[in-house]
PDB file of all heavy atoms in Angstrom:
ATOM      1  N   THR V 243     115.961  89.309  95.004  1.00  0.00           N
ATOM      2  CA  THR V 243     117.393  88.994  94.873  1.00  0.00           C
ATOM      3  C   THR V 243     118.149  90.224  94.319  1.00  0.00           C
ATOM      4  O   THR V 243     117.732  91.344  94.543  1.00  0.00           O
ATOM      5  CB  THR V 243     117.511  87.803  93.863  1.00  0.00           C
ATOM      6  OG1 THR V 243     116.850  88.184  92.577  1.00  0.00           O
ATOM      7  CG2 THR V 243     116.887  86.548  94.309  1.00  0.00           C
ATOM      8  N   GLY V 244     119.215  90.059  93.653  1.00  0.00           N
ATOM      9  CA  GLY V 244     119.998  91.172  93.169  1.00  0.00           C
ATOM     10  C   GLY V 244     121.089  91.554  94.192  1.00  0.00           C
ATOM     11  O   GLY V 244     121.136  90.882  95.331  1.00  0.00           O
ATOM     12  N   SER V 245     121.822  92.611  93.965  1.00  0.00           N
ATOM     13  CA  SER V 245     123.005  92.945  94.886  1.00  0.00           C
ATOM     14  C   SER V 245     122.410  93.667  96.111  1.00  0.00           C
ATOM     15  O   SER V 245     123.030  93.608  97.113  1.00  0.00           O
ATOM     16  CB  SER V 245     124.045  93.683  94.150  1.00  0.00           C
ATOM     17  OG  SER V 245     123.554  94.747  93.406  1.00  0.00           O
ATOM     18  N   THR V 246     121.402  94.439  95.932  1.00  0.00           N
ATOM     19  CA  THR V 246     120.908  95.364  96.953  1.00  0.00           C
ATOM     20  C   THR V 246     120.605  94.619  98.309  1.00  0.00           C
ATOM     21  O   THR V 246     121.007  95.067  99.317  1.00  0.00           O
ATOM     22  CB  THR V 246     119.699  96.188  96.627  1.00  0.00           C
ATOM     23  OG1 THR V 246     119.997  96.768  95.279  1.00  0.00           O
ATOM     24  CG2 THR V 246     119.377  97.172  97.552  1.00  0.00           C
ATOM     25  N   LEU V 273     110.088  87.030  94.213  1.00  0.00           N
ATOM     26  CA  LEU V 273     109.506  87.809  93.227  1.00  0.00           C
ATOM     27  C   LEU V 273     109.626  87.296  91.821  1.00  0.00           C
ATOM     28  O   LEU V 273     108.713  87.370  91.017  1.00  0.00           O
ATOM     29  CB  LEU V 273     110.200  89.246  93.093  1.00  0.00           C
ATOM     30  CG  LEU V 273     109.895  90.250  94.122  1.00  0.00           C
ATOM     31  CD1 LEU V 273     110.971  91.324  94.016  1.00  0.00           C
ATOM     32  CD2 LEU V 273     108.576  90.853  93.847  1.00  0.00           C
ATOM     33  N   ASP V 274     110.768  86.652  91.476  1.00  0.00           N
ATOM     34  CA  ASP V 274     111.070  86.288  90.139  1.00  0.00           C
ATOM     35  C   ASP V 274     112.161  85.266  89.976  1.00  0.00           C
ATOM     36  O   ASP V 274     112.915  84.920  90.944  1.00  0.00           O
ATOM     37  CB  ASP V 274     111.453  87.569  89.354  1.00  0.00           C
ATOM     38  CG  ASP V 274     112.333  88.544  90.132  1.00  0.00           C
ATOM     39  OD1 ASP V 274     113.063  88.022  91.039  1.00  0.00           O
ATOM     40  OD2 ASP V 274     112.376  89.672  89.778  1.00  0.00           O
ATOM     41  N   GLY V 339     113.589  95.484  95.417  1.00  0.00           N
ATOM     42  CA  GLY V 339     114.628  96.419  95.017  1.00  0.00           C
ATOM     43  C   GLY V 339     113.948  97.247  93.886  1.00  0.00           C
ATOM     44  O   GLY V 339     112.848  97.130  93.606  1.00  0.00           O
ATOM     45  N   ILE V 340     114.815  98.049  93.248  1.00  0.00           N
ATOM     46  CA  ILE V 340     114.294  98.789  92.038  1.00  0.00           C
ATOM     47  C   ILE V 340     115.326  98.757  90.988  1.00  0.00           C
ATOM     48  O   ILE V 340     116.509  98.976  91.275  1.00  0.00           O
ATOM     49  CB  ILE V 340     113.820 100.205  92.543  1.00  0.00           C
ATOM     50  CG1 ILE V 340     113.157 101.023  91.396  1.00  0.00           C
ATOM     51  CG2 ILE V 340     115.056 101.042  93.109  1.00  0.00           C
ATOM     52  CD1 ILE V 340     112.479 102.307  91.884  1.00  0.00           C
ATOM     53  N   HIS V 345     111.871  99.316  87.356  1.00  0.00           N
ATOM     54  CA  HIS V 345     111.152  98.060  87.438  1.00  0.00           C
ATOM     55  C   HIS V 345     111.248  97.544  88.855  1.00  0.00           C
ATOM     56  O   HIS V 345     112.076  97.873  89.666  1.00  0.00           O
ATOM     57  CB  HIS V 345     111.763  97.010  86.546  1.00  0.00           C
ATOM     58  CG  HIS V 345     113.116  96.433  86.846  1.00  0.00           C
ATOM     59  ND1 HIS V 345     114.095  95.991  85.852  1.00  0.00           N
ATOM     60  CD2 HIS V 345     113.753  96.214  88.065  1.00  0.00           C
ATOM     61  CE1 HIS V 345     115.096  95.494  86.499  1.00  0.00           C
ATOM     62  NE2 HIS V 345     114.948  95.595  87.777  1.00  0.00           N
ATOM     63  N   GLY V 347     110.326  93.718  90.785  1.00  0.00           N
ATOM     64  CA  GLY V 347     110.362  92.364  90.259  1.00  0.00           C
ATOM     65  C   GLY V 347     110.981  92.495  88.839  1.00  0.00           C
ATOM     66  O   GLY V 347     111.917  93.356  88.662  1.00  0.00           O
ATOM     67  N   ARG V 374     126.670  92.155  84.712  1.00  0.00           N
ATOM     68  CA  ARG V 374     127.799  92.222  85.693  1.00  0.00           C
ATOM     69  C   ARG V 374     127.832  90.938  86.469  1.00  0.00           C
ATOM     70  O   ARG V 374     128.914  90.638  87.027  1.00  0.00           O
ATOM     71  CB  ARG V 374     127.661  93.391  86.683  1.00  0.00           C
ATOM     72  CG  ARG V 374     126.539  93.385  87.617  1.00  0.00           C
ATOM     73  CD  ARG V 374     126.334  94.747  88.315  1.00  0.00           C
ATOM     74  NE  ARG V 374     125.525  94.736  89.487  1.00  0.00           N
ATOM     75  CZ  ARG V 374     124.201  94.843  89.462  1.00  0.00           C
ATOM     76  NH1 ARG V 374     123.527  94.869  88.288  1.00  0.00           N
ATOM     77  NH2 ARG V 374     123.520  94.913  90.611  1.00  0.00           N
ATOM     78  N   LYS V 409     120.286 104.681  91.285  1.00  0.00           N
ATOM     79  CA  LYS V 409     118.819 104.459  91.586  1.00  0.00           C
ATOM     80  C   LYS V 409     118.087 105.798  91.836  1.00  0.00           C
ATOM     81  O   LYS V 409     116.831 105.834  91.947  1.00  0.00           O
ATOM     82  CB  LYS V 409     118.556 103.553  92.692  1.00  0.00           C
ATOM     83  CG  LYS V 409     119.249 102.188  92.646  1.00  0.00           C
ATOM     84  CD  LYS V 409     118.787 101.333  91.539  1.00  0.00           C
ATOM     85  CE  LYS V 409     119.453 100.034  91.203  1.00  0.00           C
ATOM     86  NZ  LYS V 409     119.424  99.005  92.352  1.00  0.00           N
TER      87      LYS V 409
HETATM   88  C1  F6R N 642     115.223  90.918  91.993  1.00  0.00           C
HETATM   89  C2  F6R N 642     114.364  91.880  91.296  1.00  0.00           C
HETATM   90  C3  F6R N 642     114.829  93.120  90.724  1.00  0.00           C
HETATM   91  C4  F6R N 642     116.017  93.800  91.468  1.00  0.00           C
HETATM   92  C5  F6R N 642     116.405  95.034  90.722  1.00  0.00           C
HETATM   93  C6  F6R N 642     117.652  95.761  91.440  1.00  0.00           C
HETATM   94  O1  F6R N 642     114.535  89.842  92.532  1.00  0.00           O
HETATM   95  O2  F6R N 642     113.241  91.602  91.250  1.00  0.00           O
HETATM   96  O3  F6R N 642     113.798  93.949  90.574  1.00  0.00           O
HETATM   97  O4  F6R N 642     115.541  94.139  92.790  1.00  0.00           O
HETATM   98  O5  F6R N 642     116.838  94.725  89.411  1.00  0.00           O
HETATM   99  O6  F6R N 642     118.758  94.830  91.386  1.00  0.00           O
HETATM  100  P1  F6R N 642     120.125  95.301  92.123  1.00  0.00           P
HETATM  101  O7  F6R N 642     119.722  95.054  93.644  1.00  0.00           O
HETATM  102  O8  F6R N 642     121.082  94.160  91.761  1.00  0.00           O
HETATM  103  O9  F6R N 642     120.446  96.608  91.798  1.00  0.00           O
END
Side-chain angles (χ1 to χ4, degrees):
T243 57
S245 50
T246 309
L273 283 167
D274 42 22
I340 186 170
H345 75 210
R374 69 191 194 279
K409 304 293 174 68

